[in-house]
Amino acid sequence: MSDQTTSAAVPAVASTESSQAMDAHGSHRTKGSTTTWLAEAGFFRMLGLIIALALLCIVGAVTAGDRFVDSDNLLTILRLSTVIGVVAIGMTFVITGGGIDLSVGAILALSSVWATTLATRQMAQDTHWIVMVLTALAVGAGCGLVNGVLIAYGKVVAFIATLAMFVSARGLAEIISEKKTQIATDVPGYFDFFTAKPLGIDMSIWIFAVVAVAGWVLLNRTTFGRRTFAVGGNPEAARLAGINVRRHTVLLYVLVGVCCAIGALLIVARTTTGSSTHGQLLELDAIAAVVIGGTLLAGGRGTITGTVLGVLIFTTLTNVFTLNNRDNSEQSLLKGVIIVAAVLLQQWLASRKSTN
């Protein structure tokens, strides 16, 4: 690689990182008009998501009345958002970094099964319930590490590598559990913690909020986040700028694996079980929420706030359909239409930006 090529590529990454930093910090306005800056900062994209969520709430209030606006129902929506929300935040990092992970549901199932085996529960009873948490986190991180190494160092396409993990992790979960549901109620300390309600709000909602805030800070206020934008936007330029692209890619998949493990801990607390059937089709819901939130499937652009709004839109939609006794098939059909509309909107905005 010639020095001339290198010197040309490095500013490209610097420009990418600077652009994302401007989006994140909102402190450097390179465009003249405020309207243009707001549009580039994703203001109108976020506004569109908020309006969509508000319209769904209005539809719910009109069609289901007091059953929808009841505070318990609103807490139910937030409670249902927790597992998919935590996983979708991890997925946001991977997609922003230019990858994809189809194995999140299977990793969640394997983590839930491994954390609730007889041996793990016995060890938790003899020592501390935190053993179950550490076991799930280790399994999730290990699966993410395998995915990342295969993709970054093995040069396996992300779609194929994570599809293989999807099949393997689900199969291993079935072998460990012998296709049986593992009851974990004999570790009371675990459930005392995860079913607590500080300030009247479920612990799972608090955990989702903490993960969302931590994810926002990591993506928008740290070098790790800026490198994620750079790797997703132009990996070759990022490499020439001195970023270890392969190591960063591995870290992204480990991160989403850890998020799957946290999701597994939440679902074990909710169902009191570990099962190889947990998390089925979770990968599709997580990817859909991320795309609807405005994260670019091609990489280089991502938003945690948009992902949280995307998750809330999906769970509110599910809640409205359930309260009105609508068929699941209608719900799936509408979700598909929303996903297609979100992708078409992304393409339209991208073409408009390139034209300008």
Side-chain angles (χ1 to χ4, degrees):
M1 185 65 66
S2 68
D3 291 340
Q4 185 177 8
T5 305
T6 303
S7 61
V10 171
V13 175
S15 174
T16 301
E17 290 191 294
S18 174
S19 174
Q20 296 297 348
M22 283 189 294
D23 287 347
H25 296 89
S27 57
H28 305 293
R29 301 185 185 184
T30 57
K31 302 295 183 183
S33 83
T34 303
T35 303
T36 302
W37 174 74
L38 287 174
E40 288 188 350
F43 174 81
F44 292 114
R45 188 170 58 247
M46 290 301 110
L47 183 61
L49 291 172
I50 293 172
I51 291 174
L53 182 59
L55 288 175
L56 271 177
C57 291
I58 292 173
V59 171
V62 170
T63 57
D66 293 339
R67 290 180 299 155
F68 179 82
V69 298
D70 185 73
S71 59
D72 288 338
N73 184 56
L74 298 180
L75 284 176
T76 298
I77 294 174
L78 292 176
R79 198 179 299 119
L80 292 176
S81 302
T82 54
V83 174
I84 180 178
V86 168
V87 175
I89 287 170
M91 186 71 79
T92 302
F93 279 88
V94 169
I95 294 180
T96 302
I100 193 80
D101 193 341
L102 302 179
S103 62
V104 290
I107 294 176
L108 182 146
L110 180 59
S111 298
S112 77
V113 166
W114 215 316
T116 56
T117 59
L118 181 60
T120 306
R121 299 200 315 271
Q122 186 63 53
M123 191 179 300
Q125 292 172 355
D126 295 341
T127 55
H128 195 279
W129 59 266
I130 202 70
V131 170
M132 292 175 63
V133 176
L134 296 177
T135 301
L137 293 176
V139 172
C143 291
L145 180 64
V146 172
N147 277 339
V149 169
L150 285 175
I151 294 166
Y153 294 94
K155 303 297 181 185
V156 180
V157 177
F159 177 85
I160 299 300
T162 57
L163 186 62
M165 178 58 75
F166 167 81
V167 177
S168 302
R170 187 77 70 181
L172 182 57
E174 290 179 352
I175 292 171
I176 293 174
S177 65
E178 298 178 342
K179 297 184 178 181
K180 297 177 181 177
T181 299
Q182 299 177 160
I183 309 296
T185 53
D186 52 356
V187 188
Y190 177 89
F191 294 97
D192 289 344
F193 176 80
F194 282 98
T195 59
K197 294 186 177 182
L199 303 177
I201 299 175
D202 293 43
M203 180 62 77
S204 60
I205 298 174
W206 285 110
I207 292 174
F208 176 32
V210 169
V211 171
V213 171
W216 187 90
V217 172
L218 184 62
L219 187 62
N220 298 296
R221 290 290 187 271
T222 67
T223 302
F224 182 88
R226 288 191 290 275
R227 288 177 176 173
T228 301
F229 286 121
V231 170
N234 190 333
E236 181 61 17
R239 185 184 69 79
L240 294 173
I243 298 174
N244 190 328
V245 175
R246 290 191 292 187
R247 184 179 64 187
H248 193 82
T249 300
V250 172
L251 291 176
L252 289 175
Y253 283 93
V254 171
L255 179 62
V256 73
V258 170
C259 288
C260 293
I262 296 174
L265 294 171
L266 296 179
I267 206 166
V268 167
R270 182 192 302 170
T271 64
T272 70
T273 64
S275 172
S276 60
T277 60
H278 283 330
Q280 288 185 337
L281 298 180
L282 180 64
E283 52 280 346
L284 299 182
D285 287 340
I287 293 171
V290 172
V291 172
I292 288 173
T295 296
L296 200 61
L297 269 177
R301 191 185 76 195
T303 160
I304 297 296
T305 305
T307 296
V308 171
L309 288 172
V311 170
L312 291 177
I313 287 174
F314 259 176
T315 50
T316 303
L317 182 68
T318 301
N319 183 260
V320 171
F321 270 73
T322 302
L323 290 178
N324 288 284
N325 296 319
R326 305 302 299 182
D327 190 76
N328 286 336
S329 301
E330 296 177 2
Q331 185 182 144
S332 300
L333 176 63
L334 185 56
K335 284 183 176 178
V337 171
I338 292 174
I339 294 170
V340 171
V343 173
L344 289 176
L345 180 62
Q346 279 192 4
Q347 292 178 346
W348 178 73
L349 290 174
S351 61
R352 187 179 178 187
K353 186 174 182 179
S354 61
T355 302
N356 293 335

